[in-house]
C-alpha cells in the first residue's frame, strides 16, 4: 500500500494538470480509484494496477482490464450525452500486452459516432508506452423517467420490462 500511495502521489503532482478522482461509488471502492484529466483537448483516464488486480500469474487480470475499459468508455459516452446516464450494451476487447503491479494505466477514449440514444466509443489503454488492451463498445442513453422500481413494476403488472 505504501508503494502504491507513493507512486500515486508522484503522478498526481503532474506538471500539466492535476488528476481528478471521478467517483466514490461502491463499485469504484471495489475496483480502485479512476482518475481523469483533460490535456490538449483529449480526456485521459488513469488507474494503477494493485495487488488485488493481479491474476495467479502476477499480471493484471483480464477482467480488471475489461472493467477499466468499460469505465473509461462509459465515462466518455456519459460526457458526450451531456452528463446523462447511459449503459453498456456491447463491448469488444483485444488484449495485446500485460501489466503488472504498480503499472500506471492510461485510457484514451475516442467517440466514433453518436445518434440520439447511442454512442459508439473506441479506446486504447497504455502502460509504459505500450498498448496493453484496446476495445470498442456501444452505450445507450438511459431515460431515467422511464425506469421503474420492482415495486412499481409489480403494481403496474404490464407483463414485461
Amino acid at each position: 500500500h505504501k508503494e502504491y500511495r507513493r507512486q500515486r502521489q508522484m503522478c498526481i503532482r503532474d506538471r500539466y494538470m492535476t488528476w481528478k478522482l471521478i467517483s466514490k461509488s461502491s463499485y469504484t471502492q471495489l475496483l480502485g480509484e479512476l482518475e481523469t484529466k483533460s490535456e490538449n483537448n483529449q480526456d485521459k483516464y488513469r488507474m494503477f494496477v494493485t495487488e488485488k488486480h493481479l491474476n495467479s500469474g502476477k499480471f493484471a487480470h483480464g477482467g480488471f482490464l475489461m472493467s477499466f475499459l468499460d469505465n473509461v468508455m462509459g465515462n466518455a459516452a456519459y460526457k458526450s450525452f451531456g452528463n446523462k446516464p447511459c449503459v453498456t450494451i456491447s463491448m469488444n476487447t483485444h488484449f495485446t500486452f500485460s501489466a503488472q503491479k504498480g503499472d500506471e494505466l492510461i485510457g484514451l477514449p475516442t467517440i466514433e459516432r453518436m445518434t440520439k440514444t447511442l454512442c459508439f466509443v473506441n479506446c486504447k489503454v497504455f502502460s509504459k508506452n505500450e498498448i496493453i488492451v484496446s476495445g470498442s463498445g456501444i452505450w445507450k442513453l438511459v431515460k431515467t423517467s422511464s425506469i421503474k422500481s420492482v415495486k412499481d413494476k409489480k403494481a403496474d403488472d404490464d407483463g414485461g420490462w
Side-chain angles (χ1 to χ4, degrees), residues 4 6-7 18 21 31 47 50 54 58 62 67 101 107 110 117 119 136 139 143 157 161:
Y4 165 75
R6 186 186 69 74
Q7 285 179 342
T18 302
L21 185 63
L31 187 62
M47 283 188 82
T50 65
L54 303 179
K58 300 295 182 188
S67 291
K101 183 179 174 183
T110 304
T117 60
C119 185
S136 61
W139 276 258
K143 292 182 181 179
D157 194 23
W161 288 97

Side-chain angles (χ1 to χ4, degrees), residues 20-83:
K20 178 184 172 191
L21 185 63
I22 290 180
S23 172
K24 293 184 180 182
S25 71
S26 297
Y27 184 70
T28 298
Q29 291 174 19
L30 176 67
L31 187 62
E33 294 181 346
L34 178 63
E35 300 169 315
T36 188
K37 73 175 181 176
S38 186
E39 191 175 84
N40 299 325
N41 226 14
Q42 164 78 57
D43 287 337
K44 295 181 175 187
Y45 295 84
R46 174 175 80 171
M47 283 188 82
F48 289 93
V49 179
T50 65
E51 183 73 31
K52 70 181 178 180
H53 302 134
L54 303 179
N55 61 22
S56 59
K58 300 295 182 188
F59 295 104
H61 191 282
F64 160 68
L65 295 173
M66 292 173 72
S67 291
F68 178 65
L69 260 179
D70 185 46
N71 273 291
V72 169
M73 293 190 290
N75 274 285
Y78 171 81
K79 287 181 72 174
S80 295
F81 281 129
N83 296 338

